[in-house]
């Protein structure tokens, strides 16, 4: 009977029900879209960092992440190469040798990261080749050709065909020096990366700094990178004990943390919005419930307890919120899904967030069922909470007081 | 049922203070057919509400079968009302989202009577009160007199031991008043239901076996 009464109350008061419904529906959709957009931009930032250069996972000597120096090199790169080659969960991989050197153009000298890469393999692993801005990308037969970031080229005041001198350190700590010709200039959009890195063919760099069959790390792309912790620990198990496999979330831990902090600020600002919504819903329920005071008084007079009244009001909001939040979640989900496939373009957003590593004005939303579920549940619970105060308040009236109410 | 020194004061100790009832001592026996009479504002509704546990007395006690119901918790009192008392109020009696049929069956449904029994009782009462053809209507779609008859049907449907009726004939013409009184009278005689009215309707007074007259919150006559 309580359920029937609640249902009839909803159906017979169409205006009231519809307003409540639309209010929670709108809130649900808005919340889901907001979070999808926020998550989307964060995913985008992390994804570009991962895909442009870092890669989904690294294999390196334990200790290398704390001290990235010549004391922590992979001494026998071919043995790791063989393990990775035989691992079917891995799509591609390549060794890299990262070192630091002084680069000098005609007028200026700049400290920079120099990386020895296998150009043909790197083409499949990172966005280096596709980020070509001027000149040409490297090939596996190149000798003293260098591929440098656009900002670095600007700082050195050089262009394609210019010569630059490199002074660095061999792995035996003797001085290594050579002259390179600029073959290509790249622009990834990652500001620091474009300003501080240069690439050369690894086989040639090995001869300059005596790093033959050595690598600072291997970068690895798995067949499926979705559950990075699972695949990296599986790989870890196959490696000799002095090596470790590290997933992108650890490799980019400071970026991941920055995104987390940004999310927290995002949630704080949306909480303020929720507080407003919560009070709107509450005031609305308050008015709704008070216009029914006489009827509630009658029910109490007939022998329903205040608990029964509370249950009726609760069933009403439960039904309305279930419908509203479900529809709201579906609409929010569809929007999130649509803009995940066809990202929103916001002119200038990449420029604004370039320090974060946003490289494109296209910001896809992030569609995630788990996120949508908890977003929807939050609004749902908020809706239920909003009637508690008005319901308790009206139950304070005695039956006769309530029946007198006009 | 016994009322001991019942007093009701609204807004006590304030300038607006109203002494609605003063030291009421009454005993109602099972199967009584009694009317509380008196001028408007004399305290009829207030007394009826206190008897039905809708309002609490400022002081005094009410006993039902030697149990002090004036000391009952809200929950216990609600249960007593649901199971033992049928109410007919002065106004605003029906649940407006339920049809006439559902309103009549409301208490029986809450008391978990079987659907079949509820249905046959609804039809029986509808025929006595001549409301068979409005069973599917909503309270907002029927006249005041019809509403009052529906309220009567609901009050008696579950066969409560006590029926409290506040001006039940106020909205009825003389013919319908007669029908209603006849029906309550029959219930009273056949099923020994105790009926207490608040009314100054002459016809009601004529039919009553006992008349209690209130004046300004005091019993001035009991015959
Ligand atoms: N909730 C209330 N608050 C304040 N005063 C009240 C309240 N209810 C009743 N009164 C006062 O108590 C007195 C008795 O009122 P009551 O409603 O019992 O009269 P009544 O005999 O039923 O009158 P009527 O025939 O007009 O229905 C009146 O003076 C009334 O103003
Ligand atoms: Mg009255």
């Amino acid at each position: 009977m309580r359920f029937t009464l609640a249902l009839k109350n909803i159906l017979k008061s169409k205006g009231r029900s519809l307003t409540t419904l639309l209010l929670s529906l709108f809130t649900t959709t808005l919340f889901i879209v907001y979070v999808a957009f926020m998550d989307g931009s964060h995913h985008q930032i992390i994804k570009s960092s991962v895909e442009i250069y870092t890669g989904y996972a690294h294999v390196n000597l334990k200790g290398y992440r704390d001290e990235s120096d010549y004391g922590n090199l992979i001494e026998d790169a071919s043995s790791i190469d063989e393990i990775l080659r035989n691992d079917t969960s891995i799509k591609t991989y390549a060794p890299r040798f990262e070192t630091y050197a002084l680069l000098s153009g005609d007028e200026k000298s700049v400290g920079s990261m120099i990386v020895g890469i296998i150009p043909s393999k790197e083409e499949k692993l990172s966005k280096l080749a596709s980020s070509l801005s001027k000149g040409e990308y490297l090939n596996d037969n190149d000798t003293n050709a260098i591929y440098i970031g656009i900002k670095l080229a600007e700082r050195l005041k050089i262009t394609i065909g210019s010569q630059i001198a490199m002074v660095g350190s061999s792995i035996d700590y003797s001085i290594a020096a050579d002259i390179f010709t600029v073959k290509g200039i790249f622009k990834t959009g990652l500001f620091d990366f474009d300003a501080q890195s240069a690439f050369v063919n690894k086989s040639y760099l090995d001869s300059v700094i005596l790093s033959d069959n050595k690598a600072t790390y291997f970068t690895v792309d798995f067949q499926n990178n979705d559950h990075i912790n699972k695949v990296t620990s599986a790989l870890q198990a196959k490696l000799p004990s002095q090596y470790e496999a590290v997933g992108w979330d650890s490799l980019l831990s400071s970026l991941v943390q920055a995104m987390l902090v940004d999310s927290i600020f995002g949630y704080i600002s949306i909480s303020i919005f929720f507080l407003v919504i919560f009070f709107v819903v509450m005031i609305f329920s308050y008015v709704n419930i008070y216009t029914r005071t006489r009827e509630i008084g009658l029910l109490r007079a007939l022998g329903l307890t205040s608990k029964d009244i509370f249950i009726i009001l609760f069933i009403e909001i439960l039904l309305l919120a279930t419908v509203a939040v479900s529809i709201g979640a579906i609409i929010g989900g569809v929007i999130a899904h649509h803009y995940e496939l066809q990202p929103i373009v916001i002119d200038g957003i990449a420029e604004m967030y370039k320090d974060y590593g946003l490289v494109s004005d296209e910001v896809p939303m992030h569609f995630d069922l788990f996120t949508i579920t908890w977003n929807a549940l939050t609004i749902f619970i908020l809706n239920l909470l909003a009637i508690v105060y008005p319901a308790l308040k009206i139950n304070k009236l005695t039956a006769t007081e309530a029946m007198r109410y006009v | 049922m016994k009322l001991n020194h019942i007093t009701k004061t609204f807004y006590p100790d304030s300038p607006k203070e109203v002494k609605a009832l003063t030291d009421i001592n009454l005993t109602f026996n099972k199967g009584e057919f009694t009317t509380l009479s008196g001028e408007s504002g004399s305290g009829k509704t207030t007394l009826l509400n206190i008897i039905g546990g809708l309002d609490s007395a400022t002081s005094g006690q009410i006993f039902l079968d030697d149990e002090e119901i004036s000391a009952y918790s809200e929950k216990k009192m609600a249960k007593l009302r649901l199971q033992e008392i049928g109410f007919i109020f002065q106004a605003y009696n029906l649940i407006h989202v339920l049809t006439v049929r559902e309103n009549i069956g409301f208490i029986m449904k809450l008391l978990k009577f079987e659907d079949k029994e509820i249905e046959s009782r609804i039809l029986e009462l509808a025929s006595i009160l001549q409301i068979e053809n409005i069973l599917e209507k909503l309270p907002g779609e029927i006249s005041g007199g019809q509403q009052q008859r529906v309220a009567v049907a609901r009050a008696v449907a579950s066969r409560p031991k006590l029926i409290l009726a506040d001006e039940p004939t106020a909205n009825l013409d003389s013919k319908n008043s007669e029908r209603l009184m006849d029906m309550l009278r029959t219930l009273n005689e056949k099923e020994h239901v105790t009926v207490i009215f608040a009314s100054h309707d002459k016809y009601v007074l004529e039919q009553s076996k006992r008349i209690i007259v209130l004046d300004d919150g005091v019993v001035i006559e009991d015959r």
Side-chain angles (χ1 to χ4, degrees):
Chain A
M1 200 62 221
R2 288 183 301 207
F3 185 83
T4 319
L5 198 56
L7 193 65
K8 296 225 168 187
N9 279 331
I10 292 174
L11 297 178
K12 295 269 155 66
S13 321
K14 294 206 179 62
R16 190 175 70 201
S17 305
L18 206 68
T19 324
T20 311
L21 204 85
L22 288 177
L23 194 63
S24 7
L25 192 153
F26 173 74
T27 322
T28 310
T29 304
L30 198 71
F31 186 34
I32 288 172
V33 170
Y34 177 89
V35 172
F37 181 75
M38 187 169 76
D39 284 357
S41 60
H42 293 166
H43 277 247
Q44 177 78 335
I45 287 168
I46 287 171
K47 193 168 174 242
S48 35
S49 282
V50 166
E51 291 184 350
I52 286 171
Y53 178 64
T54 308
Y56 284 97
H58 285 180
V59 171
N60 52 251
L61 201 71
K62 281 178 185 162
Y64 175 75
R65 301 217 53 76
D66 295 328
E67 271 180 77
S68 311
D69 60 19
Y70 288 166
N72 284 314
L73 294 178
I74 297 174
E75 294 289 341
D76 184 9
S78 55
S79 69
I80 299 297
D81 194 292
E82 193 174 331
I83 293 170
L84 300 180
R85 187 167 57 237
N86 293 327
D87 189 329
T88 51
S89 72
I90 294 174
K91 193 154 77 185
T92 44
Y93 65 91
R96 286 176 184 164
F97 198 103
E98 287 182 356
T99 183
Y100 291 86
L102 189 70
L103 296 183
S104 311
D106 287 345
E107 297 173 30
K108 281 198 152 186
S109 298
V110 172
S112 163
M113 179 174 79
I114 302 283
V115 191
I117 54 169
I118 300 172
S120 61
K121 285 198 155 191
E122 205 64 48
E123 207 169 340
K124 290 176 212 142
L125 274 164
S126 62
K127 294 237 159 73
L128 277 182
S130 57
S131 302
L132 179 73
S133 160
K134 250 191 259 174
E136 277 173 63
Y137 176 61
L138 303 172
N139 69 48
D140 292 359
N141 300 319
D142 277 331
T143 53
N144 41 8
I146 194 164
Y147 187 56
I148 77 170
I150 187 159
K151 296 275 182 244
L152 182 58
E154 283 166 12
R155 285 161 76 196
L156 286 167
K157 299 199 157 102
I158 51 158
T159 182
I160 304 296
S162 304
Q163 301 224 305
I164 46 180
M166 178 205 90
V167 181
S169 161
S170 309
I171 64 162
D172 62 1
Y173 301 107
S174 62
I175 287 182
D178 204 349
I179 305 280
F180 289 90
T181 306
V182 177
K183 185 179 181 187
I185 293 175
F186 63 83
K187 181 183 182 197
T188 62
L190 287 178
F191 191 81
D192 287 352
F193 189 71
D194 289 347
Q196 289 168 11
S197 36
F199 295 85
V200 297
N201 187 355
K202 183 170 188 300
S203 62
Y204 184 73
L205 186 71
D206 288 345
S207 70
V208 178
I209 62 167
L210 316 174
S211 55
D212 197 29
N213 196 28
K214 299 189 184 359
T216 47
Y217 63 88
F218 279 77
T219 181
V220 175
D221 184 11
F222 293 98
Q223 302 286 2
N224 182 343
N225 296 299
D226 289 345
H227 304 285
I228 199 68
N229 290 326
K230 236 165 84 185
V231 283
T232 47
S233 33
L235 173 57
Q236 171 94 58
K238 295 178 190 159
L239 296 169
S241 63
Q242 69 269 38
Y243 296 102
E244 63 181 353
V246 186
W248 61 265
D249 50 348
S250 313
L251 294 171
L252 296 170
S253 60
S254 59
L255 186 63
V256 170
Q257 248 150 45
M259 295 300 106
L260 192 71
V261 170
D262 193 62
S263 292
I264 290 169
F265 277 111
Y267 285 126
I268 290 174
S269 47
I270 196 124
S271 303
I272 294 167
F273 164 76
F274 275 146
L275 215 63
V276 174
I277 289 287
F278 178 74
F279 280 109
V280 170
V281 173
M282 192 167 92
I283 290 167
F284 190 70
S285 329
Y286 199 87
V287 172
N288 270 346
I289 290 175
Y290 263 81
T291 55
R292 294 161 62 185
T293 306
R294 296 228 291 175
E295 180 137 350
I296 288 170
L298 173 65
L299 292 173
R300 292 264 301 282
L302 292 179
L304 269 71
T305 59
S306 37
K307 195 175 138 203
D308 291 322
I309 302 295
F310 191 85
I311 289 171
I312 290 170
L313 295 174
F314 198 75
I315 294 173
E316 286 176 24
I317 193 72
L318 202 71
L319 290 174
L320 282 175
T322 305
V323 173
V325 167
S326 309
I327 299 175
I330 291 169
I331 296 176
V334 168
I335 294 175
H337 189 64
H338 174 80
Y339 286 111
E340 181 178 51
L341 302 176
Q342 276 164 286
I344 300 171
V345 178
I346 303 170
D347 285 333
I349 196 172
E351 184 59 27
M352 234 162 83
Y353 288 100
K354 67 178 182 200
D355 291 342
Y356 264 148
L358 199 61
V359 297
S360 156
D361 283 345
E362 287 190 355
V363 185
M365 289 193 181
H366 181 63
F367 173 84
D368 179 68
L369 275 180
F370 176 76
T371 310
I372 289 175
T373 308
W374 80 252
N375 290 170
L377 275 179
T378 308
I379 306 287
F380 185 72
I381 290 168
L382 231 77
N383 263 295
L384 301 191
L385 287 181
I387 69 132
V388 170
Y389 176 72
L392 290 180
K393 191 90 202 279
I394 200 153
N395 273 334
K396 281 236 166 78
L397 295 176
T398 67
T400 39
E401 277 167 349
M403 277 172 75
R404 263 171 191 279
Y405 198 92
V406 265
Chain B
M1 174 177 281
K2 215 172 144 167
L3 275 60
N4 265 353
H5 305 294
I6 293 292
T7 302
K8 177 71 181 179
T9 311
F10 291 105
Y11 317 115
D13 303 326
S14 88
K16 291 196 288 178
E17 187 179 271
V18 180
K19 286 203 158 113
L21 295 173
T22 313
D23 196 29
I24 305 283
N25 294 286
L26 288 169
T27 304
F28 299 99
N29 295 312
K30 266 201 186 101
E32 267 193 29
F33 200 74
T34 303
T35 297
L36 304 174
S37 179
E39 282 172 19
S40 178
S42 56
K44 302 183 294 292
T45 300
T46 307
L47 184 56
L48 217 54
N49 284 346
I50 287 175
I51 294 172
L54 292 178
D55 228 341
S56 54
T58 310
S59 65
Q61 299 135 316
I62 305 171
F63 293 91
L64 181 69
D65 302 336
D66 294 332
E67 269 210 64
E68 191 189 340
I69 60 170
S70 44
Y72 272 18
S73 66
E74 189 230 283
K75 200 175 147 193
K76 230 173 150 183
M77 198 60 227
K79 199 173 160 196
L80 182 79
R81 279 203 296 278
L82 187 65
Q83 293 176 338
E84 317 276 9
I85 308 177
F87 282 98
I88 303 160
F89 301 104
Q90 209 164 343
Y92 202 78
N93 258 301
L94 304 177
I95 301 158
H96 78 283
V97 296
L98 299 182
T99 61
V100 166
R101 177 191 295 278
E102 290 163 333
N103 264 289
I104 300 174
F106 187 71
I107 307 278
M108 294 182 84
K109 261 245 150 74
L110 286 175
L111 291 173
K112 304 209 160 58
F113 280 64
E114 274 183 30
D115 284 351
K116 251 200 210 149
E117 196 183 345
I118 297 175
E119 189 52 33
S120 66
R121 183 76 171 148
I122 290 171
L123 294 178
E124 181 194 343
L125 291 168
S127 131
I128 298 175
L129 292 163
Q130 289 196 307
I131 45 176
E132 300 112 306
N133 50 352
I134 54 165
L135 284 179
E136 306 312 324
K137 297 210 165 160
L138 291 172
E141 301 163 348
I142 61 178
S143 76
Q146 288 172 324
Q147 288 183 24
Q148 201 63 6
R149 278 179 277 164
V150 176
V152 172
R154 182 192 55 211
V156 302
S158 60
R159 296 193 170 82
K161 289 198 191 119
L162 173 64
I163 289 175
L164 300 175
D166 196 353
E167 316 272 4
T169 57
N171 288 315
L172 301 181
D173 54 28
S174 57
K175 217 177 111 213
N176 274 313
S177 298
E178 275 173 41
R179 297 185 76 89
L180 189 143
M181 288 308 289
D182 286 349
M183 196 198 79
L184 288 172
R185 186 92 200 215
T186 315
L187 267 174
N188 170 254
E189 276 161 12
K190 279 198 189 152
E191 299 176 17
H192 307 291
V193 180
T194 311
V195 183
I196 304 175
F197 294 99
S199 179
H200 36 232
D201 183 336
K202 246 176 42 204
Y203 188 74
V204 176
L205 291 171
E206 275 168 26
Q207 294 287 312
S208 302
K209 297 176 193 160
R210 178 181 175 193
I211 296 170
I212 297 167
V213 184
L214 290 174
D215 183 29
D216 212 3
V218 184
V219 178
I220 55 165
E221 206 183 326
D222 186 350
R223 59 181 154 92

